[in-house]
């Protein structure tokens, strides 16, 4: 039993969620997985979610074009908590071979946003059943464009997501293929990293490959730059700090016997320390200048700040620890030794209100299989549907714990 004030509430169990919603969760997840849509184009997904909210009798408003904010009100006044699901997919050809694989060429739910949306809809249904047991408001945020900077969270905030009623706390959840169903990875403080991007044009002087001394080889410049950027992390960043530099795109050259006069590179920098973020931006610029001077070339360099660090409020994280322990046992809580170097625009919500971002175990039941699981953004990435009921269980209990007793 859980108790706060004069209101006593039976805790949620995964068996009850399975009994009440098991078929619905699986069918919803499969529908969403079969019908992925890219960032900013989630029209059919939005229409599907609208239909589910209308069926449940939950009012909503359209935000950020293809996003939605719905409001579920309890049996009496109280605080307001926001529960977020992102709804977009990625430009990836699915290669899972699943019977419910993507039916759209070149688009795939390769990050689990279909599971996030399913879990939030399921949580809404569970909270509706127990409406008289809690007070306040639950805002359901169905957010577009998480995968495409600048993201959909900031526009929704600008359109009043966190106001009327004012949001007091927030929860985000994310699939994790390396954790077993029924487990949840938690960490106080920084759970996700800053995610910046850079765009570089190396400008040399074209010429014949047989006379490289007469030109300035932009490809050679690029090769030296790539090695130098890795050394920045190895030799300029403290071993007690974390940073990642990755070149994800490179274009240049015309023919095997021609010196390239221009190479384009684009990449990302991930940091968890604001000082390191500044350091990396400066050091990349200085490295570029040194290479250009050495080779007799020039460059352009644009460094774009992206999603900031996602910060877990300790009190909110403790709320999830308590809910998971109550519903599934203490072994369901995995204390993460460190955060992840990935990023999410839920960070803007977490900067505005006390929040928790949960790593949700959605991997295989077998530990050996989880160790070799396909990562996010991979064409063979999979979510174990068995995890859906556990996600709904812990989300529902966390919100009940937060809102029990009303004002």
């Amino acid at each position: 039993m859980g108790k706060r004030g004069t209101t006593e509430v039976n805790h949620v169990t995964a068996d009850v969620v399975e009994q009440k919603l098991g078929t619905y969760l699986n069918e919803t997840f499969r529908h969403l997985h079969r019908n992925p849509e890219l960032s900013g184009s989630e029209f059919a997904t939005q229409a599907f979610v609208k239909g589910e909210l209308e069926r449940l009798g939950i009012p909503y408003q359209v935000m950020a074009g293809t996003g939605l904010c719905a409001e579920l009100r309890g049996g009496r006044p109280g605080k307001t908590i926001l529960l977020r699901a992102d709804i977009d997919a990625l430009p990836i050809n699915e290669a899972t071979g699943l019977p419910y694989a993507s039916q759209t060429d070149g688009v795939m739910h390769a990050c689990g946003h279909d599971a996030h949306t399913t879990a939030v809809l399921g949580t809404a249904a569970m909270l509706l059943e127990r409406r008289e047991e809690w007070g306040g408001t639950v805002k359901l945020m169905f957010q577009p464009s998480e995968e495409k900077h600048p993201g959909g969270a900031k526009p929704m905030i600008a359109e009043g997501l966190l106001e009327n009623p004012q949001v007091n706390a927030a929860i985000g959840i994310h699939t994790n293929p390396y954790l077993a169903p029924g487990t949840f990875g938690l960490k106080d403080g920084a759970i996700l990293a800053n995610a910046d991007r850079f765009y570089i044009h190396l400008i040399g002087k074209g010429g014949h490959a047989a006379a490289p001394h007469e030109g300035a080889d932009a490809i050679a410049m690029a090769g030296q730059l790539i090695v130098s950027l890795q050394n920045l992390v190895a030799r300029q960043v403290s071993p007690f700090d974390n940073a990642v530099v990755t070149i994800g795109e490179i274009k240049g050259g015309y023919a095997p016997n021609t010196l390239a006069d221009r190479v384009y590179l684009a990449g990302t920098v991930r940091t968890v320390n604001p000082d390191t973020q500044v350091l990396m931006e400066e050091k990349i610029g200085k490295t570029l200048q040194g290479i250009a001077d050495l080779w007799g070339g020039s460059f352009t360099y644009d460094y774009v700040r992206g999603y900031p660090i996602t910060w877990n409020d300790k009190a909110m994280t403790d709320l999830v620890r308590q809910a998971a322990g109550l519903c599934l046992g203490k072994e369901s809580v995995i204390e993460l030794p460190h955060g992840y170097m990935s990023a999410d625009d839920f960070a803007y919500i977490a900067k505005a209100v006390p929040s928790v971002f949960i790593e949700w175990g959605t991997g295989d039941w077998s530990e050996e299989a989880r160790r070799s699981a396909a990562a996010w953004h991979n064409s063979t990435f999979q979510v174990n549907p068995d995890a859906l009921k556990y996600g709904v269980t812990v989300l529902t209990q966390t919100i009940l714990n937060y809102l029990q007793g009303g004002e």
Side-chain angles (χ1 to χ4, degrees), residues 196-200 225-226 229-230 244-251 264-270:
D196 302 335
R197 296 190 179 191
F198 58 86
Y199 306 91
I200 296 168
L225 175 64
I226 291 169
L229 292 184
Q230 302 311 308
V244 175
V245 179
T246 298
I247 302 289
E249 186 177 5
I250 182 167
K251 299 175 183 176
Y264 169 77
L265 305 99
T268 184
V269 177
R270 306 298 174 103

Side-chain angles (χ1 to χ4, degrees), residues 204-218 257-261 295-297:
K205 179 182 177 183
H208 199 290
H213 60 290
E214 295 178 356
D217 187 353
N257 62 345
T258 302
L259 293 183
D261 63 353
W295 289 89

Side-chain angles (χ1 to χ4, degrees), residues 90 92 108 110-111 113 146-147 174 374-381:
L90 287 154
I92 294 173
M108 175 191 176
C111 206
H113 297 185
E146 188 279 329
E147 298 289 3
H174 205 290
W376 306 271
H377 295 211
N378 185 294
S379 64
T380 59
F381 173 86

Side-chain angles (χ1 to χ4, degrees), residues 7 24 50 55 78 86 114 228 264 347 372 385 398:
T7 304
Y24 172 76
K50 281 182 180 179
R55 182 181 61 80
D86 35 12
D114 45 356
S228 297
Y264 169 77
S372 59
T398 300

Side-chain angles (χ1 to χ4, degrees), residues 4 7 75-79 133-136 400 402-407:
R4 178 176 172 178
T7 304
R76 56 191 168 278
K79 297 178 289 187
E133 298 175 5
W134 55 274
L400 286 174
Y402 185 80
L403 295 178
Q404 282 173 28
E407 291 181 310

Side-chain angles (χ1 to χ4, degrees), residues 107-129:
V107 185
M108 175 191 176
H109 271 297
C111 206
H113 297 185
D114 45 356
H116 304 166
T117 303
T118 301
V120 171
L121 287 171
T123 300
M126 291 297 295
L127 289 169
L128 267 176
E129 280 203 359

